[in-house]
Amino acid sequence: MTSRHRIPRSILRTLQLATSAGLVVACSSMAPEKPAMRSAAPVAQEEARQARVTTESLSAAVADRPVDEVSAPEMDARASGAAAQPVSAPTPRAPAAEPAPPPPAPVTTVALATKAGEDRGGTMSGRLAREAKKDAADTRGPAQAKRPAPSTPAEPAWMAQGASAPGGQFEGREARFNSFTHTDRDALSTFAIDVDTAAYSIARRTLMSERMPTPSLVRVEEMVNYFRYDYPAPKGEELFSIQADGAAHPFLEDRKLLRVGIQAKEVTELDRRPANLVFLVDTSGSMSSGDKLELTKAALTLAVDRLDARDKVAITTYAGGVNVVLPPTPGNQKQKIKAALRRLRSGGGTAMSSGLELAYQQAAKMLSPDSVTRIIVASDGDANIGSTSPDQILKRIEGYKEEGVFLSTIGFGQGNYKDAMMEQLANRGNGNYYYIDSMRMAQRVFSRDLFKMVQDVAQDVKIQVEFNPESVAAYRLIGYENRDIADKDFRNDKVDAGEIGAGHQVTALYEVVLTEEPSERLATVRVRAKQPRGTKAKEVGFDVATNLVTRTFASAPEDLRFATAVMGGSELLRRSPFAEGWSFADVIRIVSETRPYDEPDRAEFLSLMKKAAHLSGEDRPIGMR
């Protein structure tokens, strides 16, 4: 490798750690967990208390009178049982002095058009990635390659808390982390988009319960995509717009940040297609607590209020058996639909597989060319009768997806919650995955964003970033570990990818290490997607200039700085070995400098980071604003 491609010395230790562990680093490779800071008994007692309070309050609110008469603040206040207590957090370190910010670099935007018959596909510039990754041997010479990789630093005590809850508060999968990749070995980064946000809601609920989240449940892309960003709207017939921007890393001087953002077109209430919805409700015994079935009924009632005569609703349930509670019914028959929801009761086993088959059968009855058809699964993810894994369950109903019936999953409750099941069902069902922890979140999903969830504007959306080896020595996609696609399959239209609904946004962040003498072009960004029910994808691409990522972090737009702070906080919460340089105090400082109180969601994130700082033991207190 020439000096032009040499990686700066300060980053070698991180890259040695990354390459020695392979392209994916698992939590099992980290230092052993320390004993939990809280005993099992108090946590179990608190769980029982919360479930009892929630059951009593929501039952009173929902069972005794129509759900639509109960306000969201009232429901949330009854469910919480107590007001939030102020917490303290460490004093953030003062930022290093930076030069006066230069004029902001331009933002690149392109868009994918929807005109019938238009084909914007093109040939790939530059070299193709090798189909098989090379062994992670250091290419900087025999003497340096033989150096032992640095050991993983010991974990702070708070890191053991999330995983030590009795029986698992939320059951997920082993945490994985994308590592740095040398561009000389593979210049292509390819992944499917993801608009899920369940990880943020789960983290919020856990932090508000005075516990750190289970690391494997903190998916960075879902944390970042929970928030809205100032992306340009697509124009005319365009399906979505794409932009790229970046800046220097806030703490590590040899790293840069690249952000790729997608904004899907909005669809007005008048222009939307009719929606055929099947509410598949888990009514098994595990759904008996108030934060499960009762909150499910209240949330689905909000969806009913958004429908009209163009739409249809069917309700099916599963427990030890399956049942059609309401056959397809026009959406303007609201009282009939709400009455069916109020009749739901819990009890019995969990035959999820049979329930899905019944729901797909009801959905098939409503299929039509000019409408959208979606199954909405409301469950805690438990399945203990018949087929019990996502692969087994979805293999039996795979054909329905090809006919245009998509599936979204909405999670409720905790204790025996199966996050992995709910996420994989949504991924395989061409849908979205959300987690409802309050009536406020229910309003967001089922009232404000209902038609973003059910009305796709593009399907099988893939992103591929080709980094220029003359400018980039190494790169790392932050998050999207469950959305990786082989580079060779980017143009294979038979390979499934992600869907994007009306008005949805997608954000992806990269850490980039520049060469010593970078050229003007940093990378080429390509996006490939199909129109709804389409078979042939279209492709757009544009070059990203290196000067986009060389400006100071302080001069970057507030939007980018906030997204970076969410990324940093997420890396800390999931115990990432790449959280180097970050502390919760730094996250708090960056968020505080982006006017978070102008937006309730951002203000909430700031308060959650202060709570995380308090729970983590970062010790010098600062006041809650």
Side-chain angles (χ1 to χ4, degrees), residues 230-306:
D230 189 21
Y231 295 153
K235 300 176 182 178
E237 297 295 319
E238 296 166 349
L239 290 175
F240 50 79
S241 65
I242 314 164
Q243 77 158 32
D245 63 356
H249 194 284
F251 313 121
L252 305 175
E253 88 178 60
D254 294 318
R255 295 188 204 177
K256 312 297 180 187
L257 297 171
L258 172 66
R259 177 176 67 161
V260 177
I262 294 178
Q263 171 67 62
K265 72 173 182 179
E266 299 279 358
V267 177
T268 67
E269 180 69 22
L270 291 176
D271 293 336
R272 72 171 177 85
R273 285 175 288 169
N276 304 318
L277 304 181
V278 179
F279 298 156
L280 174 57
V281 183
D282 179 354
T283 57
S284 64
S286 68
M287 291 287 288
S288 60
S289 63
D291 61 345
K292 293 186 178 181
L293 183 56
E294 295 303 326
L295 184 55
T296 296
K297 291 153 65 173
L300 293 177
T301 297
L302 295 174
V304 174
D305 287 333
R306 292 296 313 278

Side-chain angles (χ1 to χ4, degrees), residues 178-180 475-478 509-511 571 574 576 578:
N178 287 330
S179 183
F180 276 95
Y475 63 88
R476 182 174 80 92
L477 174 61
I478 306 170
L509 290 167
Y510 284 89
E511 281 188 325
E571 288 283 75
R574 70 173 184 159
S576 170
F578 300 99

